[in-house]
DNA sequence: CCAATGCCTTGACATTTGTCAAAACGAGGG
DNA sequence: CCCTCGTTTTGACAAATGTCAAGGCATTGG
């Protein structure tokens, strides 16, 4: 694949400041592919061949153990995944599947490592990206261990409202089953959690949520920038 | 501080292959300090001044929210902490305190960043270290979301037995309160979990545990290398 | 030796969360 | 338009986990 020709890719922040030459060399034998929904892209336990980057659509990271499955993250553009496995050249700890029709860029692991040696600016960006991933998981773990299910849901709603217009009108991008998994609860419990939040001004109409009393909701949720604010 | 003189530090894997010159320059204005137990080394929300490395003793990473506190990890030599915050130059997401008398090496953040630019081998080691930290948290999160409390305890015991002599004789290094926090449960529940495991050949005598029936215990725990095996 | 302290355990109970089954709802295909 | 399918909600119940209070046990310091 030639890289510089596709601005959609060239303009990804991760590649910012990269030499065109390094960039093109790295994208040799890469793929920029479109997948339908529900395609499993990688499987936990497999060795890493490619760094994956979601350029369009949505990808779920999930894991199995004991016959149970859990959603660890839902990625939307532009996001990398399995970066740590690629850098360590160690097996994947998570599986990934598309949730929507998605455009995914796949760069061979060795190309990534080679580009890091060649291009110092890129190396720096990769380190920042990895650090961001790390901090994301730490936040998720704090949320899981320090909050109840209802609190996690309340904070989730406050967060996506703030990330959007902040006008209390929120649209869920994923179905409630996935959202439940992401928040660490069953779909039945998510339903009940929404029921509990009715008293705090949360009105549910399918995937459209309206927050009519943000003060009360925040009183319950007790949002904490060190968990909820992705920008720090 | 001069670095090359202290082999204890010079031989840390993270610094392997580093030029003596780079190493010495990096350790300028670093501190290698001894702390008593229960000293808080860093506080979540503070900006990162130093990369910390536990060279001796034990350090707990913990976090607060809502008046609740949880233990996120217990670090033993040799381990770095708050690496991601240092690399991003972003506030700490966790606090840290010593649990035992501990020797901690503290290297100014800028020195780390400068050494990464100067010394490519070191940069590579830092990336690997960060990737390891990331994978550690991912494992912890999988454990939390896919296992019950009893299962987490059972796997913990199997893991430290395997890491030691593998003879079924296990010694808990931390008190049960901390262990409970680490495993994501209350101390009362940990007590009960040990009670449940009695049927599976787990004998408790203070901090000395004996696993008399590893087969049965594994039948309950269903250990999974993608969660429990740190070496992959 | 005793008292005091802190840790751990136990019991009783409340809350949270999960499970199973059934009903309600909604989107898409004939 | 109706049927079908999968999602979502609801109810009833079970299991897991947390909370509070009390007691046991070991350690420490007088």
């Amino acid at each position: 694949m030639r890289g510089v020709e596709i601005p959609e890719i060239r303009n990804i922040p991760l590649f910012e400041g990269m030499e065109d030459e390094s960039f093109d060399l790295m994208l040799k034998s890469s793929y920029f592919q479109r997948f339908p929904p529900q395609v499993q892209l990688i499987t936990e336990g497999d060795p890493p061949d490619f760094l994956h980057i979601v350029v369009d659509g949505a990808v779920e990271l999930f894991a199995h153990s004991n016959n149970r499955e859990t959603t660890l993250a839902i990625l939307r553009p532009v996001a990398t995944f399995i970066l740590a496995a690629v850098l360590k050249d160690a097996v994947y700890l998570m599986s990934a599947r598309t949730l929507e029709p998605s455009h995914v860029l796949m760069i061979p692991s060795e190309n990534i490592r080679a580009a890091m040696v060649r291009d110092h600016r890129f190396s720096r960006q990769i380190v920042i990206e990895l650090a961001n991933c790390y901090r994301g998981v730490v936040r998720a773990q704090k949320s899981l261990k320090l909050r109840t299910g209802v609190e996690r849901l309340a904070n989730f709603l406050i967060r996506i409202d703030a990330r959007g217009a902040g006008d209390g009108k929120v649209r869920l991008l994923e179905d409630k089953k996935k959202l439940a998994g992401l928040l660490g609860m069953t779909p039945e419990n998510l339903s009940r959690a929404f029921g509990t939040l009715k008293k705090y001004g949360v009105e549910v109409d399918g995937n459209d949520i309206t927050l009519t009393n943000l003060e009360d909701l925040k009183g319950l949720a007790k949002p904490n920038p060190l968990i909820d604010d992705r920008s720090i």
Side-chain angles (χ1 to χ4, degrees), chain A:
Chain A
M1 201 187 90
R2 289 292 311 287
V4 284
E5 296 152 9
I6 308 174
E8 197 180 1
I9 295 179
R10 179 70 253 215
N11 293 332
I12 290 172
L14 193 61
F15 305 139
E16 202 184 307
M18 223 177 154
E19 301 291 333
D20 278 345
E21 203 189 324
S22 298
F23 180 71
D24 251 33
L25 204 59
M26 185 178 74
L27 258 60
K28 277 243 173 4
S29 48
S30 294
Y31 301 93
F32 188 39
Q33 229 175 312
R34 171 158 287 281
F35 295 98
Q38 302 301 331
V39 170
Q40 183 151 348
L41 300 172
I42 63 171
T43 302
E44 50 180 331
D46 286 356
D49 299 320
F50 296 91
L51 175 66
H52 289 58
I53 304 177
V54 196
V55 178
D56 195 56
V59 169
E60 175 190 13
L61 300 183
F62 63 100
H64 281 273
S65 195
N66 285 14
N67 282 329
R68 295 167 214 158
E69 175 179 324
T70 189
T71 300
L72 294 163
I74 293 176
L75 304 178
R76 294 182 180 278
V78 176
T80 63
F81 55 100
I82 55 158
L83 178 54
V86 165
L87 294 174
K88 277 204 48 152
D89 199 18
V91 298
Y92 302 137
L93 295 182
M94 314 187 245
S95 303
R97 67 165 74 97
T98 54
L99 292 180
E100 303 169 7
S102 302
H103 236 138
V104 179
L105 174 62
M106 296 180 293
I107 306 173
S109 303
E110 314 96 71
N111 293 19
I112 296 288
R113 290 190 283 259
M116 285 178 68
V117 172
R118 203 185 314 116
D119 190 318
H120 209 275
R121 182 81 186 266
F122 178 61
S123 177
R124 176 93 203 119
Q125 292 280 27
I126 286 282
V127 169
I128 296 291
E129 172 71 14
L130 183 56
N132 279 330
C133 292
Y134 174 75
R135 287 165 71 88
V137 197
V138 169
R139 283 175 217 280
Q141 202 183 327
K142 287 172 66 172
S143 178
L144 271 175
K145 291 183 85 171
L146 292 167
R147 290 173 171 164
T148 65
V150 174
E151 290 169 342
R152 290 197 295 278
L153 173 60
N155 280 296
F156 173 83
L157 295 173
I158 292 168
R159 216 159 54 216
I160 56 175
D161 177 48
R163 214 172 289 159
D167 59 354
K169 304 227 172 299
V170 155
R171 182 161 181 76
L172 303 180
L173 295 175
E174 45 276 317
D175 57 34
K176 295 198 178 133
K177 213 168 158 184
K178 290 287 171 230
L179 178 58
L182 189 61
L183 294 174
M185 58 178 96
T186 57
E188 294 94 329
N189 258 312
L190 178 63
S191 262
R192 290 178 188 118
F194 272 120
T196 305
L197 291 185
K198 212 175 283 180
K199 298 190 277 295
Y200 299 86
V202 175
E203 290 168 10
V204 181
D205 171 24
N207 279 17
D208 290 306
I209 317 281
T210 313
L211 314 179
T212 63
N213 189 341
L214 206 56
E215 283 322 297
D216 267 18
L217 189 59
K218 283 187 177 172
L220 171 77
K222 295 185 200 66
N224 178 335
L226 294 177
I227 299 181
D228 303 298
D229 187 348
R230 283 198 196 173
S231 71
I232 60 175

